[in-house]
């Protein structure tokens, strides 16, 4: 399904389906939202093997859905390690619109150094409007002082660091003070649509050897199409260290 109200939302980089996928792909796969809700069963789990999932799939009318959770939370990754290998093959099999293909190819053609680090600074849907008054999403966000510290740590170790995100004022300042690269500068010459820019960032981030982020669906998706994992900033910078970094900054 492809909810058109999202395509009209100024806070979302989501275009109408016919600007993202080919006509043939839509003809084969697009279903209305109501049809999806009626035709698919919720996956039961977690399960330690794929046989149970296959049995559910055989009994389902159209297929299974996993709502708002990665499949690895439904299938034990210890028992079925391939569940953590990502979806690179599936991503490449999607019938993307030519303008999206151009963004993917541009991101894959961009030269990256060895042992590159991509840091995603989430903002978006949790840092605008009324969401600014809520605190329960704190774990999703890398604060500016912690981001600066992480960038410097990896730059001092000789890594190429690229910073991704929506902070049009913060990210250039972080990059100018640390020697990191602003991802938005890399895509400026590509003449991409807003959705194309998002795809360019997604694919370029997926190519980084290390992906660092808060709890971010964008970073998780980038990692999933390259078989990598997201390194969470809370694991890299313990609370006590974050406090000292913030005071010093």
């Amino acid at each position: 399904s492809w909810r058109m109200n999202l395509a009209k939302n100024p806070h979302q980089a989501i275009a109408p389906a016919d600007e993202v996928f080919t006509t043939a792909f839509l003809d084969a796969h697009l279903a209305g939202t109501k049809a999806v809700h009626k035709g698919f069963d919720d996956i039961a789990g977690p399960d330690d093997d794929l046989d149970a999932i296959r049995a559910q799939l055989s009994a389902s009318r159209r297929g299974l859905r996993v709502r708002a959770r990665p499949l690895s939370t439904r299938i034990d990754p210890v028992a079925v390690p391939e569940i953590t290998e990502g979806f690179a093959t599936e991503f490449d099999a999607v019938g993307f619109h030519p303008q999206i293909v151009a963004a993917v190819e541009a991101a894959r053609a961009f030269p990256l150094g060895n042992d590159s680090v991509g840091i995603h600074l989430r903002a978006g849907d949790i840092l605008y409007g009324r969401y600014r008054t809520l605190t329960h999403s704190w774990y999703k966000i890398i604060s500016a002082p912690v981001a600066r510290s992480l960038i410097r740590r990896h730059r001092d170790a000789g890594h190429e660091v690229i910073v991704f995100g929506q902070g049009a004022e913060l990210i250039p300042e972080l990059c100018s003070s640390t020697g990191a690269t602003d991802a938005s500068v890399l895509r400026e010459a590509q003449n991409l649509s807003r959705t194309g820019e998002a795809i360019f960032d997604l694919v370029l981030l997926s190519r980084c050897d290390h992906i660092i982020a808060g709890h971010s669906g964008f970073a998780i998706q980038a990692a999933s199409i390259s078989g990598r994992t997201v390194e969470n900033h809370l694991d890299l910078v313990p609370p006590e260290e974050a406090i000292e970094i913030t005071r010093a900054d």
Side-chain angles (χ1 to χ4, degrees):
S1 66
W2 198 261
R3 294 170 57 190
M4 293 307 297
N5 61 315
L6 290 178
K8 299 176 183 178
N9 188 329
H11 301 293
Q12 300 281 358
I14 297 176
D18 59 4
E19 295 179 16
V20 180
F21 308 101
T22 62
T23 301
F25 188 83
L26 293 175
D27 289 343
H29 299 290
L30 184 64
T33 302
K34 291 182 179 179
V36 168
H37 284 297
K38 290 181 179 179
F40 288 80
D41 299 318
D42 288 328
I43 191 172
D47 292 284
D48 292 344
D49 62 82
L50 293 179
D51 290 337
I53 302 296
R54 292 192 180 101
Q56 295 174 52
L57 186 59
S58 297
S60 175
R61 288 172 293 169
R62 293 187 59 187
L64 301 174
R65 60 177 176 173
V66 185
R67 293 190 290 181
R69 290 288 182 271
L71 195 58
S72 58
T73 66
R74 298 299 188 185
I75 300 177
D76 182 3
V78 175
V80 189
E82 56 264 39
I83 203 66
T84 63
E85 293 177 358
F87 300 96
T89 301
E90 289 78 5
F91 180 78
D92 286 339
V94 173
F96 283 122
H97 187 282
Q99 68 173 350
I100 303 300
V101 172
V104 172
E105 291 178 345
R108 286 180 170 167
F110 189 85
L112 284 179
N114 293 327
D115 219 16
S116 56
V117 176
I119 296 183
H120 181 240
L121 303 182
R122 174 176 180 158
D125 58 344
I126 57 173
L127 286 182
Y128 76 89
R130 66 183 181 86
Y131 292 102
R132 291 181 181 274
T133 66
L134 307 177
T135 59
H136 65 263
S137 294
W138 63 270
Y139 65 95
K140 297 183 177 184
I141 305 166
I142 304 179
S143 67
V146 170
R148 194 187 324 276
S149 176
L150 285 169
I151 294 169
R152 284 176 173 161
R153 180 188 304 179
H154 286 89
R155 287 286 297 159
D156 291 345
H159 299 290
E160 176 184 10
V161 179
I162 303 175
V163 185
F164 300 80
Q166 298 155 297
E169 297 175 350
L170 171 63
I171 292 176
E173 189 279 322
L174 285 174
C175 291
S176 65
S177 63
T178 61
T181 300
D182 182 348
S184 67
V185 175
L186 303 182
R187 55 173 154 79
E188 282 180 350
Q190 304 299 328
N191 192 29
L192 302 169
S193 66
R194 189 177 182 211
T195 305
E197 290 179 346
I199 291 291
F200 179 91
D201 280 11
L202 182 81
V203 175
L204 186 60
L205 178 59
S206 78
R207 293 181 55 217
C208 293
D209 297 295
H210 302 275
I211 300 174
I212 299 174
H215 187 80
S216 161
F218 190 88
I220 292 170
Q221 186 175 357
S224 77
I225 65 173
S226 60
R228 292 178 170 83
T229 57
V230 178
E231 300 174 35
N232 192 282
H233 70 109
L234 296 174
D235 297 325
L236 300 175
V237 182
E240 295 80 5
E241 185 179 351
I243 291 172
E244 294 305 316
I245 287 172
T246 302
R247 285 174 173 162
D249 190 84

